[in-house]
Structures are given as C-alpha cells and as structure tokens.
Amino acid sequence: MNLDAAIRTVRSGLELYGFGETAALELVKYRENYVFRLTAGTGEGYAVRLHRAGYRQDAEIRTEMAYLHALAGRGLSVPEPVPALDGGLMSTVTAEDGTVFQLDVLRWIEGAHPLGDITEALAGESSLGPEVFRKLGVLAAEL
C-alpha cells in the first residue's frame, strides 16, 4: 500500500473515532505500521496507527491497547488509547482494494518520537545514544 492509499484508508476510519475527515494528518513513521500524527480541530494531537494487514491478530492489538490503558490509568506516561465511538480500543477499516486493516488511535505525547529508524537499523547504524537506553531502563524499572 502506498502512502496516498494509506491516508485515504485512515481518513475512511476517522469517523469511527469522532474525528472529521478533514483533520490534519502527517506521516510520522512507516515500519510495520503507518503511523500518523492527527491534529484535531481542538488542536489536540493523536497518533493514528494503520497496522500492516495480516501482521497481528485483532486480539493482540486489543491486548496491547488494554495494557496501555491500564498503564496510563496508573500514571505512567504512555500513549493512552482513545476509544472509538463504539467503545472499542481498535477498529477495522477496509481499503479501496478490499484489504481489511486494523486501526487504533492514541493520545499524542508531546516531545515523543519513534525510537530508531528502520533504514539505519538495516544499514547497521544508529543515531541512538546511551542516554536513550538509560531512559528506557528507567521506564522499564518503573513498570
């Protein structure tokens, strides 16, 4: 799926979460998922993930979302899942070619950014310094 098709697919699912189809979308990262930053009309930011078709089962993503929801409820700084209008923490959307994708929405954490880059990883390079892994260790200890 190319970027334009991914954007159209995401836009088709925004109504499931109460967002208008004109909300600003910006590609943040493409790895196994397309990750977009959505800026709502209120100015609030959200991460919208369009999962690679067939890569994860619905139950796996719902479990991840339930886990993040529980962690946020206990005060950890994690991307908190945003429920769809039907109360679910994950939805499915169908692309123009008939492929079904999983979609979820999380609250954006200001200053957060994806850890690492697939291009660097495949080239055996990394821009991540030791301080990143120290922070990751602190978070793991809190968990």
Side-chain angles (χ1 to χ4, degrees):
M1 167 177 278
N2 67 37
L3 178 58
D4 289 336
I7 290 170
R8 287 191 302 274
T9 302
V10 166
R11 288 206 178 281
S12 75
L14 292 179
E15 66 187 37
L16 300 170
Y17 292 85
F19 296 111
E21 287 194 21
T22 59
L25 276 179
E26 171 190 351
L27 179 67
V28 175
K29 196 63 114 177
Y30 173 69
R31 286 188 275 213
E32 68 271 8
N33 306 320
Y34 277 98
V35 180
F36 296 93
R37 180 175 181 160
L38 180 145
T39 303
T42 61
E44 291 180 279
Y46 301 89
V48 179
R49 298 188 309 172
L50 182 67
H51 295 264
R52 187 171 76 191
Y55 187 63
R56 297 275 183 222
Q57 295 179 7
D58 291 355
E60 292 175 288
I61 296 171
R62 286 190 182 108
T63 298
E64 176 191 7
M65 296 294 98
Y67 192 53
L68 286 170
H69 184 71
L71 292 173
R74 287 177 173 79
L76 270 80
S77 180
V78 297
E80 184 178 356
V82 174
L85 296 177
D86 68 3
L89 296 178
M90 184 211 79
S91 299
T92 57
V93 292
T94 304
E96 297 162 343
D97 68 0
T99 305
V100 176
F101 291 89
Q102 297 133 327
L103 180 82
D104 60 58
V105 178
L106 305 114
R107 294 200 184 282
W108 188 267
I109 297 177
E110 285 303 323
H113 57 293
L115 184 63
D117 181 275
I118 190 76
T119 306
E120 290 177 353
L122 292 174
E125 303 169 355
S126 177
S127 59
L128 302 175
E131 69 283 352
V132 172
F133 294 99
R134 184 182 186 299
K135 287 180 184 178
L136 187 58
V138 168
L139 287 173
E142 286 179 24
L143 180 61

Tab-separated table of all heavy atoms in Angstrom, residues 49-84:
chain	number	residue	atom	x	y	z
A	49	ARG	N	-2.542	4.734	14.112
A	49	ARG	CA	-1.757	3.638	13.539
A	49	ARG	C	-2.632	2.806	12.610
A	49	ARG	O	-3.692	2.329	12.999
A	49	ARG	CB	-1.197	2.739	14.642
A	49	ARG	CG	-0.268	3.458	15.575
A	49	ARG	CD	0.429	2.524	16.544
A	49	ARG	NE	-0.502	1.656	17.244
A	49	ARG	CZ	-0.139	0.648	18.042
A	49	ARG	NH1	1.144	0.368	18.222
A	49	ARG	NH2	-1.036	-0.085	18.660
A	50	LEU	N	-2.165	2.653	11.393
A	50	LEU	CA	-2.783	1.757	10.421
A	50	LEU	C	-1.862	0.553	10.350
A	50	LEU	O	-0.746	0.625	9.841
A	50	LEU	CB	-2.905	2.445	9.056
A	50	LEU	CG	-3.587	1.634	7.959
A	50	LEU	CD1	-5.064	1.412	8.287
A	50	LEU	CD2	-3.435	2.335	6.614
A	51	HIS	N	-2.318	-0.552	10.916
A	51	HIS	CA	-1.477	-1.740	11.039
A	51	HIS	C	-1.364	-2.488	9.715
A	51	HIS	O	-2.318	-2.538	8.937
A	51	HIS	CB	-2.066	-2.681	12.100
A	51	HIS	CG	-2.056	-2.086	13.468
A	51	HIS	ND1	-1.066	-2.336	14.380
A	51	HIS	CD2	-2.912	-1.226	14.073
A	51	HIS	CE1	-1.311	-1.675	15.493
A	51	HIS	NE2	-2.429	-0.987	15.330
A	52	ARG	N	-0.213	-3.081	9.504
A	52	ARG	CA	0.014	-3.889	8.306
A	52	ARG	C	-0.981	-5.041	8.285
A	52	ARG	O	-1.148	-5.754	9.274
A	52	ARG	CB	1.447	-4.413	8.299
A	52	ARG	CG	1.804	-5.129	7.009
A	52	ARG	CD	3.269	-5.433	6.945
A	52	ARG	NE	3.590	-6.559	7.805
A	52	ARG	CZ	4.820	-6.930	8.125
A	52	ARG	NH1	5.848	-6.249	7.692
A	52	ARG	NH2	5.031	-7.962	8.890
A	53	ALA	N	-1.654	-5.216	7.185
A	53	ALA	CA	-2.684	-6.251	7.055
A	53	ALA	C	-2.102	-7.638	7.311
A	53	ALA	O	-1.058	-7.991	6.759
A	53	ALA	CB	-3.322	-6.194	5.673
A	54	GLY	N	-2.759	-8.394	8.179
A	54	GLY	CA	-2.382	-9.776	8.441
A	54	GLY	C	-1.178	-9.953	9.351
A	54	GLY	O	-0.795	-11.084	9.640
A	55	TYR	N	-0.574	-8.875	9.823
A	55	TYR	CA	0.635	-8.980	10.630
A	55	TYR	C	0.322	-9.365	12.075
A	55	TYR	O	1.039	-10.146	12.683
A	55	TYR	CB	1.398	-7.654	10.564
A	55	TYR	CG	2.757	-7.677	11.229
A	55	TYR	CD1	3.775	-8.504	10.758
A	55	TYR	CD2	3.024	-6.864	12.315
A	55	TYR	CE1	5.026	-8.513	11.358
A	55	TYR	CE2	4.275	-6.862	12.920
A	55	TYR	CZ	5.267	-7.692	12.436
A	55	TYR	OH	6.493	-7.699	13.043
A	56	ARG	N	-0.723	-8.784	12.636
A	56	ARG	CA	-1.148	-9.065	14.007
A	56	ARG	C	-2.619	-9.465	14.009
A	56	ARG	O	-3.401	-8.999	13.178
A	56	ARG	CB	-0.985	-7.835	14.908
A	56	ARG	CG	0.422	-7.367	15.065
A	56	ARG	CD	1.111	-8.115	16.157
A	56	ARG	NE	2.458	-7.570	16.324
A	56	ARG	CZ	3.512	-8.334	16.507
A	56	ARG	NH1	3.393	-9.628	16.561
A	56	ARG	NH2	4.700	-7.799	16.645
A	57	GLN	N	-2.970	-10.289	14.965
A	57	GLN	CA	-4.374	-10.637	15.144
A	57	GLN	C	-5.057	-9.533	15.942
A	57	GLN	O	-4.416	-8.827	16.724
A	57	GLN	CB	-4.493	-11.968	15.880
A	57	GLN	CG	-3.946	-13.134	15.086
A	57	GLN	CD	-4.064	-14.448	15.844
A	57	GLN	OE1	-4.668	-14.529	16.906
A	57	GLN	NE2	-3.463	-15.487	15.289
A	58	ASP	N	-6.366	-9.400	15.759
A	58	ASP	CA	-7.116	-8.376	16.479
A	58	ASP	C	-6.888	-8.485	17.988
A	58	ASP	O	-6.716	-7.471	18.667
A	58	ASP	CB	-8.612	-8.487	16.187
A	58	ASP	CG	-8.974	-8.102	14.768
A	58	ASP	OD1	-8.093	-7.658	14.003
A	58	ASP	OD2	-10.168	-8.248	14.416
A	59	ALA	N	-6.886	-9.709	18.511
A	59	ALA	CA	-6.719	-9.909	19.956
A	59	ALA	C	-5.378	-9.376	20.450
A	59	ALA	O	-5.287	-8.849	21.567
A	59	ALA	CB	-6.857	-11.393	20.299
A	60	GLU	N	-4.337	-9.480	19.637
A	60	GLU	CA	-3.025	-8.964	20.039
A	60	GLU	C	-3.057	-7.443	20.189
A	60	GLU	O	-2.520	-6.891	21.151
A	60	GLU	CB	-1.965	-9.352	19.004
A	60	GLU	CG	-1.659	-10.826	18.949
A	60	GLU	CD	-0.701	-11.177	17.827
A	60	GLU	OE1	-1.117	-11.126	16.651
A	60	GLU	OE2	0.461	-11.494	18.142
A	61	ILE	N	-3.675	-6.772	19.246
A	61	ILE	CA	-3.732	-5.311	19.293
A	61	ILE	C	-4.648	-4.863	20.423
A	61	ILE	O	-4.325	-3.921	21.157
A	61	ILE	CB	-4.160	-4.734	17.933
A	61	ILE	CG1	-3.096	-5.078	16.886
A	61	ILE	CG2	-4.384	-3.223	18.022
A	61	ILE	CD1	-3.478	-4.768	15.476
A	62	ARG	N	-5.762	-5.532	20.603
A	62	ARG	CA	-6.659	-5.175	21.714
A	62	ARG	C	-5.967	-5.365	23.056
A	62	ARG	O	-6.147	-4.554	23.971
A	62	ARG	CB	-7.934	-5.999	21.639
A	62	ARG	CG	-8.865	-5.554	20.540
A	62	ARG	CD	-10.233	-6.237	20.628
A	62	ARG	NE	-11.058	-5.808	19.549
A	62	ARG	CZ	-11.395	-6.566	18.498
A	62	ARG	NH1	-10.980	-7.811	18.413
A	62	ARG	NH2	-12.152	-6.076	17.543
A	63	THR	N	-5.154	-6.395	23.180
A	63	THR	CA	-4.409	-6.621	24.417
A	63	THR	C	-3.406	-5.499	24.646
A	63	THR	O	-3.271	-4.977	25.759
A	63	THR	CB	-3.693	-7.989	24.381
A	63	THR	OG1	-4.694	-9.013	24.275
A	63	THR	CG2	-2.861	-8.220	25.623
A	64	GLU	N	-2.685	-5.115	23.596
A	64	GLU	CA	-1.745	-4.002	23.715
A	64	GLU	C	-2.460	-2.730	24.147
A	64	GLU	O	-1.996	-2.004	25.039
A	64	GLU	CB	-1.039	-3.761	22.372
A	64	GLU	CG	-0.109	-2.564	22.385
A	64	GLU	CD	0.385	-2.147	21.006
A	64	GLU	OE1	-0.085	-2.692	19.988
A	64	GLU	OE2	1.232	-1.245	20.959
A	65	MET	N	-3.605	-2.444	23.551
A	65	MET	CA	-4.359	-1.239	23.887
A	65	MET	C	-4.870	-1.294	25.332
A	65	MET	O	-4.819	-0.292	26.055
A	65	MET	CB	-5.539	-1.046	22.924
A	65	MET	CG	-5.151	-0.806	21.473
A	65	MET	SD	-4.283	0.749	21.206
A	65	MET	CE	-2.608	0.190	21.200
A	66	ALA	N	-5.353	-2.456	25.772
A	66	ALA	CA	-5.825	-2.602	27.152
A	66	ALA	C	-4.674	-2.410	28.134
A	66	ALA	O	-4.839	-1.794	29.196
A	66	ALA	CB	-6.475	-3.971	27.346
A	67	TYR	N	-3.508	-2.907	27.792
A	67	TYR	CA	-2.324	-2.766	28.632
A	67	TYR	C	-1.918	-1.294	28.731
A	67	TYR	O	-1.664	-0.770	29.829
A	67	TYR	CB	-1.202	-3.607	28.030
A	67	TYR	CG	0.000	-3.807	28.918
A	67	TYR	CD1	-0.124	-4.292	30.216
A	67	TYR	CD2	1.279	-3.532	28.449
A	67	TYR	CE1	0.991	-4.484	31.023
A	67	TYR	CE2	2.395	-3.722	29.246
A	67	TYR	CZ	2.240	-4.194	30.536
A	67	TYR	OH	3.342	-4.376	31.316
A	68	LEU	N	-1.877	-0.587	27.609
A	68	LEU	CA	-1.551	0.846	27.625
A	68	LEU	C	-2.584	1.629	28.428
A	68	LEU	O	-2.241	2.543	29.198
A	68	LEU	CB	-1.462	1.397	26.200
A	68	LEU	CG	-0.224	1.017	25.409
A	68	LEU	CD1	-0.372	1.418	23.944
A	68	LEU	CD2	1.026	1.638	26.012
A	69	HIS	N	-3.850	1.266	28.282
A	69	HIS	CA	-4.924	1.930	29.024
A	69	HIS	C	-4.719	1.749	30.532
A	69	HIS	O	-4.848	2.703	31.299
A	69	HIS	CB	-6.276	1.369	28.577
A	69	HIS	CG	-7.447	2.030	29.197
A	69	HIS	ND1	-7.832	3.308	28.891
A	69	HIS	CD2	-8.321	1.588	30.133
A	69	HIS	CE1	-8.893	3.629	29.604
A	69	HIS	NE2	-9.211	2.605	30.363
A	70	ALA	N	-4.361	0.549	30.950
A	70	ALA	CA	-4.120	0.269	32.369
A	70	ALA	C	-2.903	1.034	32.878
A	70	ALA	O	-2.921	1.593	33.979
A	70	ALA	CB	-3.946	-1.235	32.587
A	71	LEU	N	-1.828	1.080	32.084
A	71	LEU	CA	-0.625	1.804	32.489
A	71	LEU	C	-0.903	3.305	32.628
A	71	LEU	O	-0.459	3.943	33.580
A	71	LEU	CB	0.509	1.563	31.491
A	71	LEU	CG	1.079	0.146	31.456
A	71	LEU	CD1	2.069	0.007	30.302
A	71	LEU	CD2	1.729	-0.221	32.771
A	72	ALA	N	-1.631	3.862	31.678
A	72	ALA	CA	-1.982	5.290	31.744
A	72	ALA	C	-2.831	5.559	32.978
A	72	ALA	O	-2.644	6.576	33.650
A	72	ALA	CB	-2.714	5.710	30.469
A	73	GLY	N	-3.729	4.628	33.285
A	73	GLY	CA	-4.579	4.778	34.460
A	73	GLY	C	-3.807	4.742	35.765
A	73	GLY	O	-4.287	5.205	36.805
A	74	ARG	N	-2.599	4.203	35.723
A	74	ARG	CA	-1.746	4.141	36.913
A	74	ARG	C	-0.687	5.240	36.915
A	74	ARG	O	0.243	5.215	37.696
A	74	ARG	CB	-1.107	2.766	37.011
A	74	ARG	CG	-2.140	1.717	37.434
A	74	ARG	CD	-1.552	0.329	37.463
A	74	ARG	NE	-2.485	-0.639	38.008
A	74	ARG	CZ	-3.503	-1.180	37.349
A	74	ARG	NH1	-3.737	-0.824	36.112
A	74	ARG	NH2	-4.290	-2.064	37.919
A	75	GLY	N	-0.826	6.186	35.978
A	75	GLY	CA	0.032	7.360	35.997
A	75	GLY	C	1.296	7.277	35.174
A	75	GLY	O	2.090	8.222	35.187
A	76	LEU	N	1.523	6.183	34.457
A	76	LEU	CA	2.714	6.114	33.610
A	76	LEU	C	2.502	6.939	32.351
A	76	LEU	O	1.399	6.996	31.817
A	76	LEU	CB	3.046	4.671	33.237
A	76	LEU	CG	3.976	3.977	34.235
A	76	LEU	CD1	3.201	3.497	35.431
A	76	LEU	CD2	4.706	2.859	33.579
A	77	SER	N	3.565	7.564	31.880
A	77	SER	CA	3.487	8.403	30.690
A	77	SER	C	3.597	7.521	29.455
A	77	SER	O	4.684	7.287	28.926
A	77	SER	CB	4.608	9.448	30.701
A	77	SER	OG	4.526	10.243	29.545
A	78	VAL	N	2.459	7.003	29.028
A	78	VAL	CA	2.384	6.162	27.829
A	78	VAL	C	1.334	6.754	26.903
A	78	VAL	O	0.466	7.512	27.346
A	78	VAL	CB	2.013	4.694	28.188
A	78	VAL	CG1	3.077	4.051	29.051
A	78	VAL	CG2	0.655	4.616	28.856
A	79	PRO	N	1.403	6.422	25.630
A	79	PRO	CA	0.346	6.887	24.722
A	79	PRO	C	-0.977	6.216	25.104
A	79	PRO	O	-1.116	5.006	24.992
A	79	PRO	CB	0.811	6.433	23.340
A	79	PRO	CG	2.202	5.939	23.506
A	79	PRO	CD	2.419	5.654	24.951
A	80	GLU	N	-1.902	6.990	25.608
A	80	GLU	CA	-3.173	6.448	26.088
A	80	GLU	C	-4.121	6.190	24.920
A	80	GLU	O	-4.365	7.079	24.100
A	80	GLU	CB	-3.814	7.426	27.067
A	80	GLU	CG	-5.076	6.906	27.696
A	80	GLU	CD	-5.668	7.884	28.698
A	80	GLU	OE1	-5.056	8.940	28.964
A	80	GLU	OE2	-6.756	7.584	29.202
A	81	PRO	N	-4.665	4.972	24.834
A	81	PRO	CA	-5.603	4.671	23.753
A	81	PRO	C	-6.859	5.532	23.830
A	81	PRO	O	-7.355	5.839	24.913
A	81	PRO	CB	-5.962	3.201	23.992
A	81	PRO	CG	-4.840	2.663	24.802
A	81	PRO	CD	-4.378	3.801	25.656
A	82	VAL	N	-7.345	5.905	22.663
A	82	VAL	CA	-8.584	6.664	22.545
A	82	VAL	C	-9.643	5.685	22.047
A	82	VAL	O	-9.484	5.095	20.979
A	82	VAL	CB	-8.427	7.828	21.537
A	82	VAL	CG1	-9.746	8.535	21.303
A	82	VAL	CG2	-7.348	8.790	22.019
A	83	PRO	N	-10.702	5.495	22.822
A	83	PRO	CA	-11.737	4.562	22.363
A	83	PRO	C	-12.488	5.095	21.144
A	83	PRO	O	-12.686	6.301	21.000
A	83	PRO	CB	-12.687	4.432	23.557
A	83	PRO	CG	-12.138	5.265	24.653
A	83	PRO	CD	-10.979	6.054	24.127
A	84	ALA	N	-12.886	4.174	20.306
A	84	ALA	CA	-13.760	4.523	19.185
A	84	ALA	C	-15.138	4.858	19.753
A	84	ALA	O	-15.404	4.632	20.943
A	84	ALA	CB	-13.853	3.346	18.209
